[in-house]
Amino acid sequence: MKLISAIVCSAAVGTSFLLPGTASAAQVRCASENGADVTLIEGRAGCRASSDASGQAHAAGLDGVGYASAAAGARALGIGAAGGVGVSEGSTGIPIALGYGSDAVARTTITAADPARPLAVTVALDGSRAQVRTEAGEVICLGTAALAWDAATGRGCLATPFGRWLTSDAPSAQPASE
C-alpha cells in the first residue's frame, strides 16, 4: 500500500510541474491631479502619486514600488517593477524614474523653475542606483546597470559591468570616465 501511495504522490507532484500555471504579479497604478494624494498597496506592489493644483503625477508598482510627486506644472512618472523602486519628483519639468529588478533604485528630481520644461530620466536595474538632481548638481550612477540623464544641461551618466561614464556641461568639473 505504501508503494502505491508513493507512486501516486510522485505522479501528482510531477504533473504539477508539467502543467502550465498562472503567474500572478501584484500591480497597482496611482494617478494624481489637482492636489490629490493617492496611495495603493497590494501584496508586494505599492504606489503613491501626489500633486499640487497644477501638476500631474503617475506612479505604478509591478511587484515593486513607484512614487511620483508633481508641483508647479510638472508631469512626473515613477515606476517600480520586479522588486525595484522608481521615485520621480518635480517642481516643473518632466521627471521620469524606472527601477527594475531586485534592490534597484531610480530617483529623479527636478527643482528648478525653468520655462523650457526640463526633462530628466533615470533607469536602474538589478541592484543599481541612478539619481539626477537639477540646478546643475548631482548625476550619480552606481552598480552595473544604471542610467541618469538631465536633458536641460546634457549631463548624464551610465554604469555598466565594464565601467562608469559621465558627461558634463563643464568638462573640467568631472572626469569623462571612471
Side-chain angles (χ1 to χ4, degrees):
M1 189 66 173
K2 290 189 181 219
L3 178 62
I4 294 173
S5 295
I7 293 171
V8 170
C9 186
S10 297
V13 169
T15 302
S16 70
F17 287 120
L18 294 176
L19 293 176
T22 58
S24 67
Q27 300 179 14
V28 291
R29 290 180 293 206
C30 300
S32 173
E33 292 184 43
N34 301 317
D37 192 337
V38 178
T39 302
L40 296 172
I41 299 172
E42 182 178 316
R44 299 183 325 183
C47 67
R48 180 177 180 205
S50 64
S51 68
D52 68 1
S54 63
Q56 290 184 352
H58 297 275
L62 311 163
D63 275 346
V65 177
Y67 172 80
S69 176
R75 305 294 182 255
L77 175 63
I79 300 172
V85 177
V87 178
S88 174
E89 300 174 301
S91 55
T92 76
I94 304 170
I96 300 170
L98 169 64
Y100 182 87
S102 178
D103 197 32
V105 178
R107 181 178 174 102
T108 307
T109 304
I110 298 175
T111 57
D114 185 353
R117 289 191 141 321
L119 168 70
V121 178
T122 56
V123 177
L125 307 174
D126 293 323
S128 296
R129 306 286 189 265
Q131 178 170 0
V132 168
R133 292 183 88 88
T134 57
E135 309 223 16
E138 282 194 2
V139 172
I140 299 171
C141 291
L142 302 172
T144 59
L147 167 75
W149 178 59
D150 179 3
T153 63
R155 293 175 47 153
C157 61
L158 175 66
T160 71
F162 306 106
R164 187 169 81 128
W165 292 271
L166 302 169
T167 63
S168 175
D169 54 344
S172 62
Q174 294 180 345
S177 67
E178 293 183 349

